[in-house]
Amino acid sequence: MKVGIMGAMHQEIEHIKKRMQVDAEKCIANRVYNTGKIDNTEVVLVFSNWGKVASASTATTLIQHFKCDFVIFTGVAGALAPDLNIGDIVVGSAAVQHDMDASPMFPRCEIPLTGITFFKVEEKHASSAVEAAKSFLAGVDEKIGQKTLSQFFISKPIVRLGLIATGDQFIQDKKAHIGLNFIEEKQPQAVEMEGAAVAQVCHDNNVPFVIFRTISDKADHSAHIDFEAFINQIAGQYAGGIVEEFMRASFG
Ligand code: ADE
């Protein structure tokens, strides 16, 4: 078993790297891949870069070059479900490309010539991912500290299993850019810029995957937090802790 771990933020990579024994570093197509182990499992850790093409290219290298047979993606996301708050974790049950639209030849969001709209996460992996995220959050007060959490209005964060919407846009007005019809019909929980692209590559290569997303904003103008500070003080720690829990439960 070799696990590819992709993070969408450098700070996430740093926190995951701390938990890893790094044996080598290799640069391929503008990405730096750290190879080594977490506990006794071989892993390859890489910063995915942002957007669908960048992350798809990174996932392809993990699978084709490094022969990873499982992919973990961690990153931040905007909440689409109104009851999700900053600091909550969304675990993907499936991922959809909200900006794919080859209508009228194919229905909106269907990947042309595949018949696929939703890239599903295998149920057993999605439930292990939910458990890992829950056990991380169970100790989040001690790990991050209440003072820091309260700076970002995080209290009693939750884990939600649900659909993740991916597209090549940072969404600041979900009504205008994603559309209320899409949100009401498909009930995506979070929006980000990589998950469904990585999922498509994993699907084509028959490699299982999981997606973890920490809510950093509400994909509108409502939440005014310092994004950079959130990434530095919250998202990195979340990614490190969640990956640690998931690796231990699934491969340890
Ligand atoms: N990643 C974090 N927040 C996001 C947003 N609002 N849109 C797209 N990607 C995101």
Side-chain angles (χ1 to χ4, degrees):
M1 169 63 65
K2 197 189 272 187
V3 180
I5 306 173
M6 308 175 71
M9 296 285 166
H10 285 296
Q11 292 87 338
E12 294 180 313
I13 298 299
E14 287 316 310
H15 278 270
I16 298 168
K17 208 169 165 181
K18 279 188 206 157
R19 287 150 167 107
M20 177 181 165
Q21 172 202 313
V22 178
D23 298 330
E25 193 185 281
K26 188 166 184 181
C27 184
I28 300 174
N30 254 335
R31 306 283 185 281
V32 178
Y33 295 82
N34 284 282
T35 56
K37 283 189 170 173
I38 293 183
D39 299 326
N40 284 322
T41 308
E42 276 191 82
V43 297
V44 184
L45 174 67
V46 60
F47 171 59
S48 61
N49 252 333
W50 290 10
K52 292 192 298 175
V53 174
S55 58
S57 153
T58 314
T60 302
T61 303
L62 279 177
I63 295 169
Q64 292 291 334
H65 179 87
F66 290 100
K67 309 291 176 210
C68 289
D69 30 37
F70 195 96
V71 171
I72 302 174
F73 197 101
T74 75
V76 295
L80 293 179
D83 60 335
L84 284 175
N85 291 307
I86 289 171
D88 290 342
I89 299 172
V90 174
V91 169
S93 56
V96 59
Q97 295 179 20
H98 70 78
D99 58 352
M100 171 58 75
D101 190 353
S103 56
M105 276 89 77
F106 300 97
R108 186 180 166 200
C109 297
E110 184 174 309
I111 308 296
L113 311 174
T114 66
I116 300 173
T117 300
F118 301 103
F119 292 100
K120 295 203 172 72
V121 178
E122 271 179 54
E123 245 172 68
K124 63 177 177 191
H125 298 310
S127 4
S128 310
V130 167
E131 289 316 310
K134 281 187 179 164
S135 33
F136 168 72
L137 285 185
V140 76
D141 284 2
E142 299 86 73
K143 285 170 204 146
I144 297 189
Q146 274 197 337
K147 195 165 160 234
T148 308
L149 291 170
S150 63
Q151 262 177 283
F152 298 96
F153 312 103
I154 301 173
S155 94
K156 300 198 179 14
I158 61 157
V159 179
R160 167 81 43 86
L161 177 66
L163 180 64
I164 287 177
T166 302
D168 280 324
Q169 287 161 318
F170 190 92
I171 303 295
Q172 286 189 290
D173 183 350
K174 58 188 167 198
K175 286 185 200 154
H177 289 111
I178 299 191
L180 283 183
N181 283 350
F182 179 89
I183 296 175
E184 271 159 25
E185 257 175 47
K186 303 198 165 53
Q187 305 267 310
Q189 300 296 305
V191 62
E192 38 85 308
M193 300 176 67
E194 297 83 18
V198 171
Q200 185 174 351
V201 171
C202 288
H203 172 271
D204 283 350
N205 288 279
N206 207 14
V207 166
F209 64 97
V210 289
I211 307 171
F212 293 98
R213 289 286 181 171
T214 301
I215 298 300
S216 58
D217 56 84
K218 295 195 152 207
D220 57 20
H221 296 287
S222 71
H224 297 288
I225 59 152
D226 178 340
F227 191 73
E228 196 59 33
F230 181 83
I231 302 303
N232 282 325
Q233 294 175 51
I234 305 286
Q237 315 239 37
Y238 265 58
I242 291 168
V243 167
E244 181 177 317
E245 296 284 351
F246 184 76
M247 289 296 298
R248 191 182 299 144
S250 300
F251 310 111

